[in-house]
Amino acid sequence: MTVRVQEADFDTGAEIAQLRLQYPMAGAVVAFVGQVRDLNDGKAVSRLTLEHYPGMTEKSLATIIEQAMQRWPLLDATVIHRVGELPPQAQIVLVAVASAHRGDAFAACEFIMDYLKTEAPFWKREATSEGTVWLDARDSDQLSRKRWQ
Amino acid sequence: MTVRVQEADFDTGAEIAQLRLQYPMAGAVVAFVGQVRDLNDGKAVSRLTLEHYPGMTEKSLATIIEQAMQRWPLLDATVIHRVGELPPQAQIVLVAVASAHRGDAFAACEFIMDYLKTEAPFWKREATSEGTVWLDARDSDQLSRKRWQ
Amino acid sequence: MIQLLYFARLRESLGTRSEQLEWPVPASIAELKRQLAARGGNWHEQFADNPSLCVAVNQQLATETATVQPGDEIAFFPPVTGG
Amino acid sequence: MIQLLYFARLRESLGTRSEQLEWPVPASIAELKRQLAARGGNWHEQFADNPSLCVAVNQQLATETATVQPGDEIAFFPPVTGG
């Protein structure tokens, strides 16, 4: 399991390759890459700032991956989440899951993202032409998570 | 839409980056990478050979992507599939889907893979210690595709 | 004339990759399969009683009832196994 | 003593990031929230009637009924919005 919370950007291709090359039995890697959008609710975004809870963040992500591994026969998973100031089109997060078969990898990758979005202690503050605001949590993210219960 | 059928390997990181950087509205990219496994049904695999139906293959993949785009609000999708002789741990296929929100990208990427596995004219021949055999289609792949109907 | 193509395990079983066939008037895939099965041997085995056999007409998946027109490209193959 | 941490919008509203609080005997998160709300002003607003407020005890998500022991690290924050 790899969990990293960092300001620096990450190399998505290298992370996916490292994951699959460690596991000759891995037939499938499913990866999610989140990107800072240039528009949110119709407003131009100039910068996104990510605050987090050091210590708890890493534990929370590790717990989410462990839950996924208990639920599906996975080989391994990598979660990298950036913090600090990010411009539009920066990468925010990578979740990559390796498994023998694709169905398990798809389900687990989406599960990890749905739990990350609702349980991992990150908060986004968005700077737009109208000023700087903390983003509100979305009901749709709670609904996505509840599907797994 | 990008569809490529080729003998050469591909750069997963570069393909994902190219996809998301074209779309500032893309909040999510979901990617599937298929890898040649070193074991299949307990036998060591020394080589996988992929035959295809030139012309129909590309049309079939384009049609599958179009169906996904009619079904979910996607920004774009890339499918690259290799043919010819591949050693264990070679990349076989990349499906990458960009959309504003992650749920659509997850569903569409899995949909494309499930249809690719059952409709795109590729055939695998596997060389193991016990000789060379054409692989049989799996019932589980048909079941995966039927979920979308 | 129609163009016939065979792929993968089927191509190996029949020992041929492609052929041209006289096809003066439109008829169904089922009729084409009957003609090919009538060649006997492996042809009979592959076309007479092979429910998993797949067919494409002009590079689109088709069924037994599809019509084969003169000039068409018809491909037969086993279930696909890519990805 | 317990360690209190505040994050994001809550941190800005309260004007503080962390503090130490006397906490001689175990009591619930609900009791801790009552004490913090009793400070009045923004504290009352954030802790008395704020159903979306989240809490973690020793870096694990918790509920109102969780017990706060002396020495614990308690964090309050708005719903998370990462990913």
Side-chain angles (χ1 to χ4, degrees):
Chain A
M1 182 194 306
T2 301
V3 171
R4 296 209 306 271
V5 179
Q6 61 188 40
E7 294 202 3
D9 199 6
F10 50 82
D11 181 336
T12 293
E15 297 292 340
I16 292 172
Q18 197 182 0
L19 189 64
R20 73 178 173 79
L21 291 173
Q22 280 181 71
Y23 299 94
M25 270 304 293
V29 174
V30 173
F32 174 89
V33 180
Q35 166 170 271
V36 179
R37 295 194 289 152
D38 71 341
L39 279 175
N40 195 9
D41 293 333
K43 297 185 292 289
V45 175
S46 61
R47 195 178 63 250
L48 198 67
T49 307
L50 272 141
E51 180 171 329
H52 77 122
Y53 180 176
M56 178 171 167
T57 319
E58 294 80 355
K59 283 183 198 167
S60 167
L61 295 173
T63 300
I64 293 167
I65 294 174
E66 281 162 12
Q67 287 171 342
M69 289 185 156
Q70 283 165 14
R71 205 155 164 159
W72 294 280
L74 310 180
L75 293 162
D76 204 353
T78 295
V79 175
I80 304 173
H81 201 299
R82 295 178 70 188
V83 292
E85 300 205 346
L86 302 176
Q89 300 211 260
Q91 299 186 114
I92 307 174
V93 59
L94 171 68
V95 175
V97 175
S99 64
H101 301 291
R102 73 185 183 287
D104 298 321
F106 272 111
C109 189
E110 193 165 14
F111 172 96
I112 291 170
M113 272 309 299
D114 287 346
Y115 274 78
L116 184 159
K117 280 263 183 187
T118 50
E119 298 200 346
F122 295 100
W123 300 274
K124 282 179 183 159
R125 198 174 54 199
E126 199 173 73
T128 73
S129 49
E130 298 180 14
T132 295
V133 293
W134 291 99
L135 295 188
D136 287 319
R138 290 174 189 271
D139 291 342
S140 59
D141 287 327
Q142 289 293 337
L143 290 172
S144 292
R145 184 176 61 81
K146 291 213 170 80
R147 290 179 307 163
W148 301 105
Q149 288 170 341
Chain B
M1 183 195 305
T2 301
V3 171
R4 297 210 305 274
V5 179
Q6 61 189 40
E7 293 200 4
D9 200 5
F10 50 81
D11 181 336
T12 293
E15 297 294 340
I16 292 173
Q18 197 181 1
L19 190 63
R20 72 179 176 79
L21 291 172
Q22 280 182 71
Y23 298 94
M25 272 301 293
V29 174
V30 172
F32 174 89
V33 180
Q35 166 170 272
V36 179
R37 294 195 288 153
D38 70 340
L39 278 176
N40 196 8
D41 294 332
K43 296 185 293 289
V45 176
S46 61
R47 194 177 65 250
L48 198 66
T49 306
L50 272 141
E51 179 169 330
H52 77 123
Y53 178 177
M56 178 171 166
T57 318
E58 294 80 355
K59 284 182 196 168
S60 167
L61 296 173
T63 300
I64 292 168
I65 294 174
E66 281 161 12
Q67 288 171 341
M69 287 184 157
Q70 282 165 14
R71 204 155 165 159
W72 294 279
L74 310 180
L75 293 162
D76 204 353
T78 295
V79 175
I80 304 172
H81 201 300
R82 295 177 70 188
V83 292
E85 299 206 347
L86 302 176
Q89 300 212 261
Q91 299 186 114
I92 306 174
V93 58
L94 171 69
V95 175
V97 175
S99 65
H101 302 290
R102 74 184 182 286
D104 298 322
F106 272 111
C109 189
E110 192 165 14
F111 172 97
I112 291 170
M113 272 308 300
D114 286 347
Y115 274 77
L116 185 159
K117 280 263 183 187
T118 50
E119 298 201 345
F122 294 100
W123 300 275
K124 282 178 182 159
R125 197 175 53 198
E126 200 173 73
T128 71
S129 49
E130 299 180 14
T132 296
V133 292
W134 291 97
L135 295 188
D136 287 319
R138 291 175 189 270
D139 291 342
S140 60
D141 288 327
Q142 289 293 337
L143 290 172
S144 293
R145 183 175 63 79
K146 291 211 170 82
R147 289 179 307 163
W148 301 103
Q149 287 171 343
Chain C
M1 299 284 276
I2 55 175
Q3 173 77 14
L4 290 177
L5 302 172
Y6 310 107
F7 289 97
R9 184 187 281 157
L10 183 70
R11 168 177 58 72
E12 288 190 347
S13 166
L14 301 176
T16 183
R17 181 180 297 274
S18 68
E19 61 176 304
Q20 304 272 333
L21 191 73
E22 293 287 344
W23 196 260
V25 295
S28 68
I29 289 289
E31 172 57 26
L32 173 57
K33 285 172 72 174
R34 270 191 293 276
Q35 290 191 26
L36 294 171
R39 293 174 176 178
N42 285 351
W43 293 86
H44 181 82
E45 187 185 320
Q46 296 294 344
F47 289 98
D49 184 26
N50 181 359
S52 73
L53 186 70
C54 301
V55 63
V57 175
N58 297 326
Q59 306 190 350
Q60 295 219 338
L61 288 174
T63 61
E64 294 260 315
T65 58
T67 301
V68 182
Q69 308 274 358
D72 281 352
E73 175 179 304
I74 311 298
F76 289 102
F77 45 81
V80 304
T81 57
Chain D
M1 301 283 276
I2 54 175
Q3 174 78 13
L4 289 178
L5 302 172
Y6 310 106
F7 289 98
R9 186 187 280 156
L10 183 71
R11 169 177 58 72
E12 289 190 346
S13 167
L14 301 177
T16 184
R17 182 179 296 275
S18 68
E19 62 175 305
Q20 303 273 333
L21 191 72
E22 293 287 344
W23 197 260
V25 294
S28 69
I29 289 289
E31 171 56 26
L32 173 58
K33 285 172 73 176
R34 271 192 292 277
Q35 289 191 26
L36 295 170
R39 294 175 176 179
N42 284 351
W43 293 86
H44 181 82
E45 189 184 318
Q46 296 293 344
F47 289 98
D49 185 26
N50 181 0
S52 73
L53 187 69
C54 301
V55 63
V57 175
N58 297 327
Q59 307 190 349
Q60 296 221 336
L61 287 174
T63 61
E64 294 260 315
T65 58
T67 301
V68 182
Q69 307 273 359
D72 280 353
E73 174 177 304
I74 311 298
F76 290 103
F77 44 81
V80 304
T81 57

